[in-house]
Amino acid sequence: MEYVILAVVIAVVAVGAIAGLVVSGRRRQQLPPKSQAPVITAPPTPREPAVGEEAAPPTEEPRRTVEEVELPEVEVEAEAVPGPSVAEEVPALDVPEPTAGRLVRLRSRLSRSQNSLGKGLLSLLSREHLDEDTWEEIEETLLIADVGVAPTQELVERLRTRVKVLGTRTPDELRGLLREELVELIGKDADRTVHSTRHEEGPAVVLVVGVNGVGKTTTTGKLARVLVADGRTVVLGAADTFRAAAADQLQTWGERVGARTVRGPEGGDPASIAFDAVKEGIAEGVDTVLVDTAGRLHTKTGLMDELGKVKRVIEKHGPVDEVLLVLDATTGQNGLVQARVFAEVVDITGIVLTKLDGTAKGGIVVAVQRELGVPVKLIGLGEGADDLAPFEPGAFVDALIGD
């Protein structure tokens, strides 16, 4: 019995061993082959480049120190030189044309006034028979041109007397007659100089006044050009603090001719700015200080009083040499009402008539002078920068009646 059990055990062990060998063989067939480790090779030993076996061995070149090496010459471009760029260059100042004879050069701008006044009068005076109806037409022509009632009656009376004495009336004689009478009516002996020369107390002070919309700030800028053209140095005072951008506008005019502008905050005290402008003019030693004031409605009593205050404050430095009233020629007789009110507040010394190129009312020159008793000193004949001209009665009349 023992032998049988032993045989069974040996048989079981044998079967297990054979089964293990079979399973082990199958696993070996399924496993992938082991990967080989990467081969790391050393970098090739550096050597001089050669071509084939016939390449010559490298030769040593002579070495030089830093001091012995010559540097190449570098051309310096014009842009590399330090200095202001094109964008930073100060623009060239304008050179205003001379004022002498400027009115003669601008006579074509008076064509509308010439058609209604000058040519109208010549046509009527050239009639063969000058009866009462003709003289009434002459009087009407003068009134339409805003010469004014009293000056018109005076001129008509003198023309009637001279025509009777003259007898025959050729076109040249009539033109000469009319020219003499108009020049006499306008006033050939009045002082029309803008007093802008520096004196012992300091610079001349010119105060520019007027109502809204007459072109007062523009006139102040153009007047600066007139003075610069005549060799004056100028400081501008932007005392119009009520109108938006008025100070900017005046400063632009000044920069064009090299005139400094003294300005303050919008809505600031005009009298204070005017005072500072004159103070600056004294410090810089300029010839003229131009003060632009706010355009005031002549019906506003408080604002007119403020204008008087501006003048009084300026006079703490010295006298005001000129007070120029700017009037729009197209307003006609309404401008005379404005002129009267301003004359009550400040002592007007001269008139500037603007927009005279766009009106048929050239006679306003006569009317405003008679009303205020002060001369027209400057007239505006266009929108151009140099279209403000010193008033010359002879040249003005010549432009009215034509050649």
Side-chain angles (χ1 to χ4, degrees):
M1 188 69 180
E2 292 179 357
Y3 290 106
V4 174
I5 295 172
L6 179 63
V8 172
V9 172
I10 291 172
V12 172
V13 173
V15 172
I18 294 171
L21 290 175
V22 173
V23 173
S24 175
R26 289 180 179 179
R27 288 181 177 178
R28 288 177 182 177
Q29 291 177 358
Q30 293 176 355
L31 290 176
K34 293 183 180 180
S35 59
Q36 296 181 351
V39 179
I40 300 175
T41 59
T45 303
R47 59 188 180 84
E48 295 295 332
V51 181
E53 296 180 353
E54 297 179 355
T59 58
E60 292 187 1
E61 295 182 359
R63 297 186 178 182
R64 295 177 293 175
T65 63
V66 174
E67 291 78 5
E68 295 174 340
V69 176
E70 296 181 0
L71 297 176
E73 296 183 359
V74 179
E75 296 183 0
V76 179
E77 299 180 358
E79 289 77 10
V81 178
S85 62
V86 176
E88 297 174 349
E89 290 182 358
V90 178
L93 298 178
D94 290 353
V95 180
E97 64 178 47
T99 59
R102 182 180 289 186
L103 183 55
V104 176
R105 295 192 295 273
L106 298 174
R107 62 180 300 173
S108 62
R109 307 291 177 84
L110 292 170
S111 58
R112 295 188 181 183
S113 294
Q114 173 183 332
N115 290 336
S116 69
L117 181 58
K119 288 186 176 181
L121 290 176
L122 282 175
S123 176
L124 292 171
L125 290 172
S126 299
R127 291 181 180 178
E128 186 176 353
H129 300 288
L130 296 179
D131 53 17
E132 288 300 322
D133 291 339
T134 302
W135 286 111
E136 287 181 4
E137 288 184 49
I138 292 174
E139 186 173 333
E140 182 180 356
T141 300
L142 291 169
L143 290 173
I144 291 175
D146 273 341
V147 174
V149 176
T152 294
Q153 293 175 345
E154 178 184 331
L155 179 58
V156 169
E157 188 61 31
R158 295 181 62 175
L159 285 173
R160 294 183 75 160
T161 302
R162 294 199 60 178
V163 166
K164 288 181 180 179
V165 175
L166 184 63
T168 59
R169 303 183 303 277
T170 64
D172 289 340
E173 289 173 334
L174 285 175
R175 182 174 286 103
L177 170 64
L178 185 58
R179 184 186 188 280
E180 290 178 13
E181 293 300 331
L182 286 174
V183 170
E184 186 69 25
L185 190 66
I186 291 173
K188 58 183 178 180
D189 297 326
D191 180 13
R192 302 183 188 277
T193 304
V194 177
H195 298 286
S196 57
T197 305
R198 182 180 175 84
H199 40 69
E200 294 181 359
E201 292 82 2
V205 179
V206 179
L207 191 63
V208 183
V209 302
V211 299
N212 298 305
V214 296
K216 187 167 42 51
T217 300
T218 299
T219 298
T220 305
K222 290 182 178 180
L223 178 56
R225 295 179 66 87
V226 168
L227 297 178
V228 170
D230 290 339
R232 306 280 193 273
T233 52
V234 179
V235 164
L236 297 172
D240 184 354
T241 60
F242 295 100
R243 184 170 66 86
D248 293 336
Q249 182 183 357
L250 188 64
Q251 183 171 345
T252 299
W253 279 102
E255 289 173 349
R256 293 177 180 175
V257 292
R260 184 173 179 181
T261 301
V262 177
R263 54 185 297 179
E266 185 175 343
D269 182 16
S272 175
I273 296 172
F275 182 87
D276 290 342
V278 178
K279 181 179 179 181
E280 184 70 20
I282 294 173
E284 293 189 8
V286 300
D287 297 311
T288 314
V289 177
L290 294 178
V291 180
D292 176 34
T293 60
R296 292 163 169 79
L297 294 174
H298 60 279
T299 56
K300 303 293 185 180
T301 305
L303 292 176
M304 294 300 292
D305 291 343
E306 186 176 281
L307 177 59
K309 174 188 173 184
V310 170
K311 185 173 183 291
R312 292 192 300 272
V313 168
I314 291 176
E315 289 175 337
K316 293 181 179 181
H317 286 298
V320 175
D321 298 84
E322 288 276 6
V323 179
L324 298 178
L325 175 62
V326 182
L327 293 176
D328 185 341
T330 62
T331 60
Q333 294 296 317
N334 186 46
L336 300 182
V337 178
Q338 302 170 6
R340 283 195 292 268
V341 178
F342 274 96
E344 294 172 359
V345 178
V346 289
D347 296 327
I348 305 296
T349 60
I351 305 295
V352 182
L353 275 177
T354 63
K355 305 178 185 178
L356 198 57
D357 59 316
T359 177
K361 301 180 179 296
I364 191 64
V365 172
V366 177
V368 72
Q369 291 185 146
R370 289 295 184 94
E371 181 67 31
L372 295 181
V374 296
V376 172
K377 294 191 173 185
L378 298 161
I379 57 175
L381 296 170
E383 300 297 329
D386 293 321
D387 289 345
L388 186 71
F391 183 72
E392 304 167 23
F396 178 73
V397 172
D398 287 339
L400 288 181
I401 64 177
D403 296 328

